[in-house]
Amino acid sequence: MSVPSKAAPRDVDLKDARWRKSSYSGGANDCVEVTELGEIVALRDAKDIDRRPLLFSKAAMRALVNEIAAGQSVGSFSAVVPE
């Protein structure tokens, strides 16, 4: 599966973000948290929430999750990597 190559913008305002944690974490911080902001999905490390999250377009995030769920090796995908 090819992943859309359009990168998410870097100037996303995260102050009102509502972060969700996986129910599989069992309350521990051994997972990631995700929030949706319009057409952008932000992903962060639950152990280091002060670090800037990775930003994806919804299409890129959906493709990434589908590849992981299908057990495929994840090819290149477009994310905005924190500086």
Side-chain angles (χ1 to χ4, degrees), residues 18-65:
R18 292 186 172 190
W19 294 95
R20 297 187 319 256
K21 189 183 298 190
S22 169
S23 60
Y24 291 102
S25 69
N29 282 338
D30 297 337
C31 62
V32 295
E33 295 176 327
V34 66
T35 190
E36 293 181 45
L37 304 158
E39 289 301 311
I40 303 300
V41 177
L43 186 71
R44 71 180 181 185
D45 184 344
K47 291 184 253 179
D48 192 4
I49 62 171
D50 292 326
R51 190 173 185 178
R52 182 142 176 87
L54 296 174
L55 303 174
F56 299 87
S57 68
K58 280 189 175 180
M61 185 65 166
R62 188 172 23 258
L64 174 64
V65 170

Side-chain angles (χ1 to χ4, degrees), residues 1-8 56-64 67 76-79:
M1 172 186 294
S2 65
V3 180
S5 61
K6 184 176 179 186
F56 299 87
S57 68
K58 280 189 175 180
M61 185 65 166
R62 188 172 23 258
L64 174 64
E67 284 189 16
S76 63
F77 58 93
S78 181

